Amino acid sequence: MTLFHGLIPPVPTIVNEDYQIDTDGAKVVIDHLIDEGVNGLLFLGTLGEFTQLSLEERKKVAEIAVEHVNGRVPVIIGTGSTNTREAIQLSRHSESIGAEGIIVINPYYTPLSEEHLLYHYESIGNVVGLPLLLYNFPAFTGQDLNPDLIKKLVETIPTISGIKDTVESIGHIREVLLKVKNEHPEFSVFCGYDDHLLPTLAAGGDGGICASGNFAPHLALGLLEAFNNQDFRQVIEHHQRLVSIPQIYNLDTPFANVIKEAMKQSGIEISTHVFPPSRSLRESKKKILNDILQGADNLPTKASRPKV
């Protein structure tokens, strides 16, 4: 039995126009997603803009999350850093406040040898007892965690319990399932891209940590339910809608502003401000975003949806 499963949205960090953490906005998002029926919440991942936050800001976001969720669903905190000592400090903090797990992206900017990558994860896993998810996002880190290395990490560090595999090729996820999960069934394998959810499940994976879970969680949740019920007509219908979602990631880089705007268009009353050097989504792109969302699921407009 895997520790984590299903849909776990990577929650954006909500901030006001002065770049201060918006505690009330964070609570609105948390309550909305839990009410929608998600299986967990991940904070301070890529959408959490963790690279733009100070150490103390990251701790504050984690504390708000754990306190307000209050055990309703599992909370996973992103504690990755280019600095192993900082990653350890953040991971210890997450453990001390009661998070259920941590997710750790491999250090970015400078590629590391396999020896150094092992040392980085061992340094965290040896001092923190929380379940640790690997976070593989080679398009952003510049370095892939290949399936053989993932297997070695899992067999070296007992606290490693899963992976979020944000990769273009579904073949990478397939290899992780074949080489790692086949031998370690309790290891959770999550896709990062929305359109990979169905092939991940079909190949034996455990779910998705997908951005659309923030603004259209019913699509992934519907697919998961239909898949579990072997209602393949509904599976295909939800999959076809999810397939169109990744278009929105091309509207801006980085795309936290896109996701926050999508959440607002779906009826969640939050600030869409982001940390510099990013800026809120331009008006011209908001229209394109709305068209994509309407096409994906005939989403009602903000005006016609009940306020959260």
Side-chain angles (χ1 to χ4, degrees):
M1 179 68 178
T2 56
L3 184 60
F4 303 113
H5 68 279
L7 174 64
I8 303 178
V11 183
T13 299
I14 309 302
V15 297
N16 62 28
E17 60 184 1
D18 298 319
Y19 309 121
Q20 301 299 308
I21 306 300
D22 182 350
T23 301
D24 291 338
K27 291 178 178 179
V28 166
V29 172
I30 289 168
D31 290 340
H32 172 76
L33 293 175
I34 292 175
D35 288 346
E36 288 287 323
V38 301
N39 304 108
L41 294 170
L42 185 153
F43 298 87
L44 296 167
T46 301
L47 286 182
E49 300 177 88
F50 74 94
T51 58
Q52 305 306 315
L53 299 176
S54 69
L55 193 65
E56 291 309 311
E57 286 172 329
R58 292 180 69 173
K59 289 180 178 180
K60 180 178 179 179
V61 170
E63 289 164 4
I64 293 169
V66 172
E67 180 179 358
H68 193 65
V69 171
N70 193 28
R72 289 178 286 172
V73 295
V75 171
I76 301 169
I77 304 294
T79 60
S81 172
T82 56
N83 181 329
T84 301
R85 293 171 300 161
E86 183 173 274
I88 290 171
Q89 183 180 6
L90 289 166
S91 299
R92 281 175 163 164
H93 174 261
S94 294
E95 187 170 37
S96 73
I97 63 175
E100 280 76 19
I102 54 176
I103 185 166
V104 183
I105 199 163
N106 47 305
Y108 38 93
Y109 181 72
T110 303
L112 299 179
S113 67
E114 182 175 298
E115 177 187 357
H116 292 152
L117 277 169
L118 283 167
Y119 178 68
H120 175 74
Y121 282 109
E122 283 182 319
S123 298
I124 300 167
N126 287 340
V127 299
V128 179
L130 285 178
L132 187 161
L133 277 75
L134 304 170
Y135 184 7
N136 187 37
F137 200 169
F140 278 20
T141 64
Q143 184 169 19
D144 178 48
L145 299 180
N146 66 69
D148 290 324
L149 173 61
I150 293 167
K151 185 173 186 289
K152 185 176 292 186
L153 286 166
V154 170
E155 294 176 348
T156 303
I157 306 164
T159 52
I160 291 180
S161 61
I163 186 170
K164 175 184 179 182
D165 209 7
T166 306
V167 288
E168 287 293 338
S169 171
I170 191 65
H172 191 283
I173 296 174
R174 182 191 65 239
E175 290 300 307
V176 173
L177 290 165
L178 290 173
K179 292 186 176 182
V180 184
K181 191 172 179 68
N182 272 359
E183 294 190 25
H184 304 276
E186 73 285 354
F187 183 76
S188 299
V189 178
F190 292 93
C191 62
Y193 288 132
D194 314 84
D195 53 330
H196 284 174
L197 180 56
L198 176 55
T200 297
L201 294 173
D206 299 277
I209 302 177
C210 310
S212 66
N214 289 293
F215 57 85
H218 56 286
L219 293 182
L221 290 171
L223 192 156
L224 284 159
E225 181 180 10
F227 185 86
N228 289 333
N229 293 334
Q230 298 187 9
D231 182 350
F232 297 116
R233 179 179 177 182
Q234 283 295 309
V235 166
I236 296 301
E237 182 178 326
H238 286 292
H239 175 65
Q240 287 175 339
R241 291 173 175 175
L242 281 169
V243 162
S244 65
I245 293 293
Q247 298 176 76
I248 71 175
Y249 304 140
N250 297 322
L251 290 176
D252 209 351
T253 304
F255 53 82
N257 57 352
V258 178
I259 303 307
K260 290 180 185 180
E261 179 60 31
M263 293 168 72
K264 189 163 187 176
Q265 289 190 17
S266 71
I268 310 173
E269 293 296 335
I270 56 166
S271 162
T272 58
H273 292 287
V274 289
F275 291 102
S278 296
R279 294 180 294 173
S280 296
L281 197 65
R282 293 180 180 179
E283 289 298 325
S284 60
K285 292 185 177 181
K286 290 180 184 179
K287 175 62 168 63
I288 299 173
L289 173 63
N290 185 261
D291 290 343
I292 294 172
L293 295 181
Q294 294 283 345
D297 191 38
N298 296 316
L299 292 175
T301 62
K302 173 190 164 196
S304 66
R305 294 191 64 162
K307 291 186 177 181
V308 176

